[in-house]
Amino acid sequence: MSEVTLVDAPRRRIECTVDDRPVRVGEGDTILGACNREGIDTPTLCWGDTLTPKNACRVCVVEVEGSRALVPACSRKVEPGMVVRTDTPRVRHARKLVLELLGSSVDLSTTPRVDEWYDRYEADPTRFGEVARTVAQPAKVDNDLYVRDYAKCILCYKCVDACGDQWQGTFAIAVAGRGFASHISTEYDVPLPESACVYCGNCIEVCPTGALSFKVEFDKRADGTWAEDRQQVTDTICPYCGVGCTLSLTVQDNQIVRVGSPHDSSVTHGNLCIKGRFGWAHVAR
Amino acid sequence: MLAALRRGAKLFVVDPRRTSSAQWAHGWLSPDVGSDVALANAVAREIIHAGLADGAFIDRATVGYAEFAASVEEWTLERAEAVTGVPAASIRELAHTYATAEHAQLCWTLGITEHHNGVDNVLSLINLALLCGHVGRYASGLNPLRGQNNVQGGGDMGAIPNRLPGFQDIEDDDARAAFDTAWGTEVPPTYGMHLSQMFDAMEHGDLRALYVMGENPAQSEADSTKAIALLQSLDHLVVQDVFFTKTAELADVVLPASASWCESEGTVTNSERRVQRVRKALDPPGQARDDVDILLDMASLLGHTWTYGRPGDRRSIAEGIWQELRSLSPLHAGMSYERIEALGGIQWPCPDEHTLEPSFLHGRLWHDDPAERGRPAPFSVVLNSPPVDALDDDFPLRLTTGRRLDSYNTGVQTGRFSSPRRRAETIDLFPADAEALGVLAGERVRIVSRRGAVEAPVRLDTGLRPGLAFMTFHFPDEVDVNVLTIDAVDPKSGTAEFKASAIRIERLPVPAAAV
Amino acid sequence: MDLQFQGGEASAEERGALDRLLATQAPRRDLVLPALHAVHDAVGWLSPAGIDEIGRRLDVAPAEVFGVATFYAMFSTTPRPRRVTYVCEDIACTGGAHLTLDPSTDAHAVLPSPCLGLCDHAPARLELDGGRYVGPMARTSTLRGDHLLANVGTTAYGDLVAYRAAGGYRALARSFEVGPAAVVQMVSDWGLVGRGGAAFPTGRKWAAVAAQPTFPHYVVCNADESEPGTFKDRVLLEDDPFAIIEAMTIAGFATGAAQGYLYLRGEYPLAAERLENAFRLARSAGLLGQDIEGSGFSFDIDLRVGAGAYICGEETAIFNSIEGYRGEPRNKPPFPVDAGLFAKPTVVNNVETLACIPHIVLGDARETKLYCLSGAVASPGVYEAPLTVTLRELIESAGGVREGSTLKAVLLGGAAGAFAGPDDLDVEMSFTALRDAGLSLGSGVVMVIDETVDLGAFLARIADFFVDESCGQCVPCRVGTVRQQEAVARLRSGGDALHELALLRDVGVAMRDASICGLGQTAYNAIESAITRIGMFTKGAR
C-alpha cells in the first residue's frame, strides 16, 4: 500500500473544566464540542454542523469563569484551563428567556426538540401576553418546489450562509431590515423565480425550524396528511450526474416527501442541486 | 471547486461559452470549438520554453518526451491565438500558473470528449499533467467529471465492449480464464461493438436485433433521423426502461423496469471512482420489475439457473451479485457491502478488506524504486484536427450543444418536475450575429444543418463568442436538436461529435395575419 | 462570482454617481456603503436598478446590497425627494413627548430621527439636500474648555496654518523623535482610558496592535457618536478636525498602521465636509500620505460615513460597516487588536480619546473630560472639566437648572446609562466614582430632567430607541427590546406592576447576560435604574 498523505496535522490537546469535570479536547474545539464529548446535552438552533457558527440564537450560552457576559458554546473555542459551567442559574435563566422570547415571537411548532427544552428550562412563551409582537405572516408560496414560511423563521442566518459564501455561492437571499424587522429576503423581496435562486434547496437542508420546507411537506401539513409515523428514510445515490451525492429519501405511503443528504458525506456535505433535491417527480405515484 | 476558491485556489475555465464556472474563474479562455488540441499544445510549448517543465519527473516516469516536445514546437502562442482565438497572453498566463502551482488539476467534461477526436483531446491534457508532474500526487491530477451517475460504474462492471469487470482486458487470456472458470463457459476472446459501431453494423445489415436497457438512442444519438430509421429497420428490438421512451415506441417488446436508483438495491460508482450503495426506498409501480429479476428470468428461459442471495430479499440478491464481482475483480476485492456502507462509499482500487488506497491514482510514478515505478507514462504526439462538420458559406455558424442546470439529457426524468428555472428550448446567439442575421430575441427561426432542420426561438447571449450558437437537447419532443448534430465519431471512444455542428439560421416567413 | 441582476437599467444619474466614486479607486466590496451614499445622494433613494448597478460594479449580489441598504435608517428603498429634514424625536429634545412633524411634500421630506447629536440646539432639526449639509446654519451653544476644546470656536478647522500656529503637529514631530514604542509607553503611563464609554486602557490596545506580527494594521477612529445626549465628538470634529487627524497619524505611527479609517455617523454632514477639507489640506501639506514630513512613515485616512445606525458605534460592528456588510457586531473573541478591520490587527479609538493623544505626547499631565449637558439646564453645551468635578458643579457651570424648573433626575451616560436622583448631585463625575455609585459616565451625557418631563414617556422613548437600533442579530436583544417596550407601555397604562416589573427584570437580565454586544447588554440599564433608583412604576409612583 502506498503512503497516505496526511491532510491535517495532529492537533494539540488542551484541558479545561466543564461542570467541574476535567475535559481534554483538541485545540480549536469549541465549548459545544467539549460538552458533546462529555454527554452534556446543549440546546442549539443556529449552529449547523456544516456551517461556521453564527452564534445568533444564544440558546447555547454557558458561563465561563472570568467572562462578564455569558458566552456562546457553539463558537467559543476552548482555552487551556477554561472553567465552563453549563447549568448555573444564570445559564438556565438566559436559556429559558431565549426560548420564551423565540417562542413568543416565532411559530416553533415544527422545530425539533423545542418542547423538551421548554420543559427543561421551565420556559413559558405565553407569559408576554396575547398582544406580544410576532413575526406572523403568510407563507411565501411562489414556486412548486419549496415554501418559505417566515412566520417560523428565527433568523439563524443558516440559509443565507448556505446560499452564499459558505456553500452554494448563489447569494439569492440575505438578511434585510434591522432589529425585529430583520428578515430573510431577496433583493426588494422579489419572488424566488425572479431572484438568483437555483433551487438547490441547501437552505432547506440547514433550516432548523421548518420555515423552509418542500412544497409537498407544506401541502401535506396543511391538509393534515403529513404522518411522520408512516415515514421511513432511505439513503441512496442521486440518479443524475457523476458527482454521486447521497440522497436521503423520506418516503411516506410509497411517495417521496422530502429529500435530504447526509452532512457527513465526503462527497457534498449535505448539499445537492435542483435535480437531486427536487428531480424525482418521475418516480412519484 | 468553490470551496477551493474560497481557500485561495485559482481557477481557469476553458470553454467557448462564459459559463457560471467562468464567472467565478480568475481566467476565462474561450477557444473556438474544436481547437482544444491547439490550445493544449501551445500551453505545453510555453511551459517547455519557459523552463517550467518538471524535467526530473519526465526523465524518471515518462517516455516519448522528445517526440512530444518536437511536435508542439510549431504551436507558438501567436499561432495558437490565430487558431483558437484565445489571446496569447491568456494562454501564457494559464501555462505559467498551471506549471508553477504546487498542486494543479485538470478537470473536464463532455466539451473535451464529445468530438471526433475526443481521445486526442484527452491525450493532449495528459501530456500537460506529465509535463509538470501534476499526476500521481495528492491534490493534483486529471479528473474527467462524469456526466452520468454510473457511467463510471458501467465501465467498472464490464459494460463496455473491450473489458471484463474490473477493467480486465477481454483479450487477456489469464483474465478471461478466471471468468471462464467462475461462469462455467468460455468468454469470447474478442472485443465487442460500442454504440456507434452497433449503428454502423445496423446500417450494414450485420446487426439485426437489439436489446436496449435504460438508454434512449432514438433521441440521444447524433443525427437522430438516421438513428430512428436504423432502429426501425431491425428485425427485433427489445427495450427495458423505466419510461416508455421514443425508443420504446419503436420496440417489439417493452420490459418495464424499476428505477434502479430508488426502487432497487446495488451500487453505482461516481466520478471519483467511489463505489456507493443504492437502496430501495419505493416499491416500483404497476408491472415494473427489477432489472436483475428480468435478467434472471431471461437466463432461466435460456436454460440457465442463476441464483444470488435469498429469494425475495433485494439487498441479499444484490449483495450476492456483488460478492461474485469481488471474487473476479481485484479492484473491488476489498469492498464488502458492510464496508461500503460504513465508509460512505469506497474508491477503487481496493484490493483488500483491511486497507484503503490513497484517493489518487498513479502514485507509483513517483516511486524511487524503478520496479515499483513500473511502466513509464507515455507522452502522445497529438495533432490538431478541426471539427468534421466544417463551416462554409451555406453553414456559417458553429452550433454546440450542452445542458442546463435543472434538466438532464433528453429530459425523460427531469421533464416531469416543475422547475421554476426551466424555459423552453432556444437557439442562443451572440448579439452581433443575431443583428447581422436580422433576427430579434424571441423570434422563431429555422436552424438548418447538413442533416436536418428544426425551429426554435432566438435568445441572445453575450456569454457566447461571435459565430457560436448554443442549444440544449433537453426537449427533443418539442425541438429535436439531435436532428442537427453530426454522427462523426471518435474511432477510439465511439463518442459522436455532439459539440460541433455547422448550421445556418433562416428567418421564417412572416404569417400573413401578422403583416 | 456568478451573480444575477434583474432590476433593470440604472438611470444616468445613478450611473454617473458611481462613475465618479469609482473614477479614482478600484471597485471593492468595502465601497458598498460609499456607493449606496453616492446613488442615494444623487437621486434621493435606492431604486432596484440602482441597487443592481452597485452590485454589478462592486461584484456583490443584489440581495446583499439590498440587505446592507435596508440596515441603515437614512437610506430609503422607496422614492423620496433629495431634500430631507430630520427632526429629533429623542429624549434630549422631546423628553419623550409625542412629536408632530410638518407634512412632507414631493420636494421635501420631513422625517423623525433618533438623537441628531445637536442636543445643545434642542429641539434639533437637520436639513440635507442630496446628502449635503444645508442647516441649521446658526450654531450658538456653549462650548467651554481650554484644553481639549482650546481650538473649538476658532477658525482652525479650515486653516492648517492656524492649527499649526496653535501648537498643532508638534506632537507628531515629537512622536517621530521618540519612536513608536516610546509613544505607546507614554500613552500607557499617562493612564488614558477610552472616552467612548467602555473606559478601556488605550495604551493596552496600542501595545497589543503594535506587537502583532501580521500586517497590515489599521487605525479606526470611531466617530459614530450616537448615544442619545452625546455631541462632544461632533464639536471636536467640526471645530478641530486636524487634532483628530494628527492623533490618528500618531496612533498609526505608534501601532505600525499605514491606513486609518474615520467612521463618522451619517447625521454629521458638516463634520464630514470639514474633515474632507482637512484631509485635503493635510495631504497637500505632506501631513498625510507618503513619507510624512520626511519621517519615512506613510499614513492616510479614508472617511467612511454611516447612514443612521447607532449599532455601528460598537467596535466590531464598525468593521462590518466599513467592509460593506451589515453593521452587525461580531462575536468576541477575536478582539479587534487580534482580528479587527479586514480581519487584521486594529486599534479602534473614540474621537475624544484621540483628542487627548497630542497633549499626552507633549507631556501635558492635565486630564479633562468633555461633558455633554442637555435638557433642563440654562446653557446646554459641551463643558470640559477635570474628572474630579461633581455633578452639581457641572450643572451649575451650565447656568444651573433652567429658571423656574425643578430638577427631578439626571440621566448620565445616555440611553445605555442610568438615572441619578436629586440626592446624587455630589457624586464625582469620574469613571470610578460613578461606577461605585451604581451610575455610569458612559460617553459623558448629563441630561437634566425637570418636572415638566413625563418620565414614563421618557422611558418609553428609551425603550423605543433600543427597539429601533437593535441590529436584530441575536435573539435576546432583537426580541427582548420589543418585550421591554411592550412591558413599559403596559406599565404606563396601568398594567399589573408586580408582573410587568418581574418580566422587565427577567428580560433585562437575559439581554445583559446573553446578548452579543453592548447594545443588548445595556438596553435595560436606564429602565432598571429608573425603577430601582428613582422608584418609577413602583408604589404607584409616576
Side-chain angles (χ1 to χ4, degrees), chain B residues 177-198:
Chain B
F179 286 87
D180 289 351
T181 306
W183 290 347
T185 186
E186 206 167 294
V187 177
T190 49
Y191 290 165
M193 287 182 270
H194 57 57
L195 182 56
S196 307
Q197 289 166 331
M198 287 186 203

mmCIF file of all heavy atoms in Angstrom, chain B residues 177-198:
data_model
loop_
_atom_site.group_PDB
_atom_site.id
_atom_site.type_symbol
_atom_site.label_atom_id
_atom_site.label_comp_id
_atom_site.label_asym_id
_atom_site.label_seq_id
_atom_site.Cartn_x
_atom_site.Cartn_y
_atom_site.Cartn_z
ATOM 1 N N ALA B 177 -9.545 -16.402 -18.272
ATOM 2 C CA ALA B 177 -9.591 -17.752 -17.699
ATOM 3 C C ALA B 177 -10.338 -17.752 -16.373
ATOM 4 O O ALA B 177 -11.122 -18.671 -16.080
ATOM 5 C CB ALA B 177 -8.165 -18.287 -17.511
ATOM 6 N N ALA B 178 -10.104 -16.732 -15.564
ATOM 7 C CA ALA B 178 -10.781 -16.670 -14.260
ATOM 8 C C ALA B 178 -12.292 -16.605 -14.453
ATOM 9 O O ALA B 178 -13.055 -17.265 -13.720
ATOM 10 C CB ALA B 178 -10.295 -15.454 -13.484
ATOM 11 N N PHE B 179 -12.715 -15.814 -15.444
ATOM 12 C CA PHE B 179 -14.159 -15.703 -15.700
ATOM 13 C C PHE B 179 -14.710 -16.996 -16.295
ATOM 14 O O PHE B 179 -15.806 -17.420 -15.959
ATOM 15 C CB PHE B 179 -14.437 -14.511 -16.635
ATOM 16 C CG PHE B 179 -14.287 -13.186 -15.945
ATOM 17 C CD1 PHE B 179 -13.055 -12.551 -15.867
ATOM 18 C CD2 PHE B 179 -15.383 -12.593 -15.329
ATOM 19 C CE1 PHE B 179 -12.913 -11.357 -15.211
ATOM 20 C CE2 PHE B 179 -15.247 -11.375 -14.673
ATOM 21 C CZ PHE B 179 -14.007 -10.753 -14.609
ATOM 22 N N ASP B 180 -13.916 -17.622 -17.167
ATOM 23 C CA ASP B 180 -14.339 -18.897 -17.749
ATOM 24 C C ASP B 180 -14.641 -19.901 -16.633
ATOM 25 O O ASP B 180 -15.664 -20.585 -16.635
ATOM 26 C CB ASP B 180 -13.242 -19.458 -18.651
ATOM 27 C CG ASP B 180 -13.082 -18.648 -19.939
ATOM 28 O OD1 ASP B 180 -13.935 -17.765 -20.195
ATOM 29 O OD2 ASP B 180 -12.113 -18.895 -20.681
ATOM 30 N N THR B 181 -13.730 -19.937 -15.656
ATOM 31 C CA THR B 181 -13.892 -20.889 -14.548
ATOM 32 C C THR B 181 -15.120 -20.518 -13.719
ATOM 33 O O THR B 181 -15.970 -21.357 -13.416
ATOM 34 C CB THR B 181 -12.643 -20.840 -13.638
ATOM 35 O OG1 THR B 181 -11.496 -21.048 -14.462
ATOM 36 C CG2 THR B 181 -12.722 -21.903 -12.557
ATOM 37 N N ALA B 182 -15.221 -19.247 -13.362
ATOM 38 C CA ALA B 182 -16.308 -18.831 -12.480
ATOM 39 C C ALA B 182 -17.662 -19.008 -13.148
ATOM 40 O O ALA B 182 -18.650 -19.368 -12.488
ATOM 41 C CB ALA B 182 -16.119 -17.383 -12.075
ATOM 42 N N TRP B 183 -17.724 -18.745 -14.405
ATOM 43 C CA TRP B 183 -19.012 -18.754 -15.088
ATOM 44 C C TRP B 183 -19.296 -20.071 -15.813
ATOM 45 O O TRP B 183 -20.377 -20.258 -16.381
ATOM 46 C CB TRP B 183 -19.064 -17.598 -16.118
ATOM 47 C CG TRP B 183 -19.126 -16.234 -15.451
ATOM 48 C CD1 TRP B 183 -19.380 -15.994 -14.141
ATOM 49 C CD2 TRP B 183 -18.932 -14.973 -16.069
ATOM 50 N NE1 TRP B 183 -19.357 -14.641 -13.888
ATOM 51 C CE2 TRP B 183 -19.089 -13.976 -15.073
ATOM 52 C CE3 TRP B 183 -18.639 -14.543 -17.367
ATOM 53 C CZ2 TRP B 183 -18.969 -12.616 -15.322
ATOM 54 C CZ3 TRP B 183 -18.530 -13.179 -17.622
ATOM 55 C CH2 TRP B 183 -18.677 -12.224 -16.593
ATOM 56 N N GLY B 184 -18.303 -20.982 -15.829
ATOM 57 C CA GLY B 184 -18.507 -22.266 -16.463
ATOM 58 C C GLY B 184 -18.808 -22.156 -17.941
ATOM 59 O O GLY B 184 -19.579 -22.967 -18.497
ATOM 60 N N THR B 185 -18.213 -21.198 -18.563
ATOM 61 C CA THR B 185 -18.431 -21.031 -20.002
ATOM 62 C C THR B 185 -17.198 -20.346 -20.573
ATOM 63 O O THR B 185 -16.308 -19.938 -19.820
ATOM 64 C CB THR B 185 -19.689 -20.191 -20.289
ATOM 65 O OG1 THR B 185 -19.928 -20.189 -21.696
ATOM 66 C CG2 THR B 185 -19.548 -18.775 -19.790
ATOM 67 N N GLU B 186 -17.142 -20.232 -21.846
ATOM 68 C CA GLU B 186 -15.977 -19.616 -22.449
ATOM 69 C C GLU B 186 -16.321 -18.193 -22.879
ATOM 70 O O GLU B 186 -17.208 -18.005 -23.725
ATOM 71 C CB GLU B 186 -15.526 -20.427 -23.656
ATOM 72 C CG GLU B 186 -14.048 -20.259 -23.934
ATOM 73 C CD GLU B 186 -13.554 -21.319 -24.931
ATOM 74 O OE1 GLU B 186 -13.561 -22.521 -24.569
ATOM 75 O OE2 GLU B 186 -13.221 -20.940 -26.055
ATOM 76 N N VAL B 187 -15.631 -17.211 -22.306
ATOM 77 C CA VAL B 187 -15.874 -15.822 -22.690
ATOM 78 C C VAL B 187 -15.201 -15.596 -24.042
ATOM 79 O O VAL B 187 -14.030 -15.904 -24.190
ATOM 80 C CB VAL B 187 -15.288 -14.865 -21.639
ATOM 81 C CG1 VAL B 187 -15.466 -13.416 -22.080
ATOM 82 C CG2 VAL B 187 -15.935 -15.099 -20.284
ATOM 83 N N PRO B 188 -15.952 -15.078 -25.024
ATOM 84 C CA PRO B 188 -15.341 -14.867 -26.339
ATOM 85 C C PRO B 188 -14.121 -13.961 -26.220
ATOM 86 O O PRO B 188 -14.189 -12.937 -25.536
ATOM 87 C CB PRO B 188 -16.448 -14.190 -27.157
ATOM 88 C CG PRO B 188 -17.706 -14.467 -26.420
ATOM 89 C CD PRO B 188 -17.339 -14.637 -24.987
ATOM 90 N N PRO B 189 -13.022 -14.289 -26.863
ATOM 91 C CA PRO B 189 -11.771 -13.544 -26.683
ATOM 92 C C PRO B 189 -11.678 -12.305 -27.563
ATOM 93 O O PRO B 189 -10.594 -11.795 -27.775
ATOM 94 C CB PRO B 189 -10.711 -14.563 -27.074
ATOM 95 C CG PRO B 189 -11.388 -15.420 -28.096
ATOM 96 C CD PRO B 189 -12.846 -15.466 -27.748
ATOM 97 N N THR B 190 -12.783 -11.817 -28.072
ATOM 98 C CA THR B 190 -12.715 -10.673 -28.985
ATOM 99 C C THR B 190 -13.542 -9.506 -28.444
ATOM 100 O O THR B 190 -14.527 -9.709 -27.727
ATOM 101 C CB THR B 190 -13.279 -11.052 -30.364
ATOM 102 O OG1 THR B 190 -14.544 -11.694 -30.160
ATOM 103 C CG2 THR B 190 -12.338 -11.967 -31.098
ATOM 104 N N TYR B 191 -13.132 -8.306 -28.834
ATOM 105 C CA TYR B 191 -13.860 -7.117 -28.417
ATOM 106 C C TYR B 191 -15.226 -7.079 -29.081
ATOM 107 O O TYR B 191 -15.385 -7.459 -30.240
ATOM 108 C CB TYR B 191 -13.094 -5.840 -28.819
ATOM 109 C CG TYR B 191 -11.824 -5.612 -28.039
ATOM 110 C CD1 TYR B 191 -10.876 -4.696 -28.485
ATOM 111 C CD2 TYR B 191 -11.571 -6.292 -26.848
ATOM 112 C CE1 TYR B 191 -9.703 -4.450 -27.772
ATOM 113 C CE2 TYR B 191 -10.402 -6.064 -26.134
ATOM 114 C CZ TYR B 191 -9.473 -5.151 -26.601
ATOM 115 O OH TYR B 191 -8.335 -4.917 -25.895
ATOM 116 N N GLY B 192 -16.172 -6.562 -28.350
ATOM 117 C CA GLY B 192 -17.498 -6.363 -28.921
ATOM 118 C C GLY B 192 -17.603 -5.000 -29.592
ATOM 119 O O GLY B 192 -16.601 -4.314 -29.794
ATOM 120 N N MET B 193 -18.836 -4.623 -29.912
ATOM 121 C CA MET B 193 -19.054 -3.345 -30.590
ATOM 122 C C MET B 193 -19.481 -2.289 -29.579
ATOM 123 O O MET B 193 -20.255 -2.596 -28.673
ATOM 124 C CB MET B 193 -20.169 -3.493 -31.631
ATOM 125 C CG MET B 193 -19.761 -4.271 -32.857
ATOM 126 S SD MET B 193 -21.123 -4.325 -34.037
ATOM 127 C CE MET B 193 -21.952 -5.811 -33.520
ATOM 128 N N HIS B 194 -18.992 -1.059 -29.763
ATOM 129 C CA HIS B 194 -19.561 0.023 -28.982
ATOM 130 C C HIS B 194 -20.743 0.601 -29.736
ATOM 131 O O HIS B 194 -21.040 0.198 -30.868
ATOM 132 C CB HIS B 194 -18.512 1.056 -28.579
ATOM 133 C CG HIS B 194 -17.745 1.679 -29.698
ATOM 134 N ND1 HIS B 194 -18.354 2.331 -30.727
ATOM 135 C CD2 HIS B 194 -16.398 1.726 -29.935
ATOM 136 C CE1 HIS B 194 -17.435 2.780 -31.558
ATOM 137 N NE2 HIS B 194 -16.236 2.418 -31.110
ATOM 138 N N LEU B 195 -21.405 1.539 -29.091
ATOM 139 C CA LEU B 195 -22.691 2.016 -29.588
ATOM 140 C C LEU B 195 -22.619 2.472 -31.047
ATOM 141 O O LEU B 195 -23.445 2.079 -31.877
ATOM 142 C CB LEU B 195 -23.160 3.170 -28.689
ATOM 143 C CG LEU B 195 -24.521 3.780 -29.002
ATOM 144 C CD1 LEU B 195 -25.609 2.718 -28.995
ATOM 145 C CD2 LEU B 195 -24.834 4.863 -27.977
ATOM 146 N N SER B 196 -21.623 3.281 -31.366
ATOM 147 C CA SER B 196 -21.547 3.803 -32.732
ATOM 148 C C SER B 196 -21.296 2.677 -33.723
ATOM 149 O O SER B 196 -21.850 2.679 -34.826
ATOM 150 C CB SER B 196 -20.437 4.844 -32.831
ATOM 151 O OG SER B 196 -20.623 5.808 -31.841
ATOM 152 N N GLN B 197 -20.467 1.713 -33.300
ATOM 153 C CA GLN B 197 -20.209 0.570 -34.193
ATOM 154 C C GLN B 197 -21.479 -0.250 -34.405
ATOM 155 O O GLN B 197 -21.713 -0.806 -35.476
ATOM 156 C CB GLN B 197 -19.105 -0.311 -33.609
ATOM 157 C CG GLN B 197 -17.731 0.356 -33.674
ATOM 158 C CD GLN B 197 -16.689 -0.348 -32.814
ATOM 159 O OE1 GLN B 197 -17.017 -0.963 -31.797
ATOM 160 N NE2 GLN B 197 -15.428 -0.240 -33.221
ATOM 161 N N MET B 198 -22.311 -0.308 -33.348
ATOM 162 C CA MET B 198 -23.576 -1.050 -33.494
ATOM 163 C C MET B 198 -24.448 -0.396 -34.546
ATOM 164 O O MET B 198 -25.060 -1.083 -35.373
ATOM 165 C CB MET B 198 -24.321 -1.086 -32.155
ATOM 166 C CG MET B 198 -23.693 -2.004 -31.125
ATOM 167 S SD MET B 198 -24.773 -2.080 -29.676
ATOM 168 C CE MET B 198 -23.602 -2.575 -28.444
#
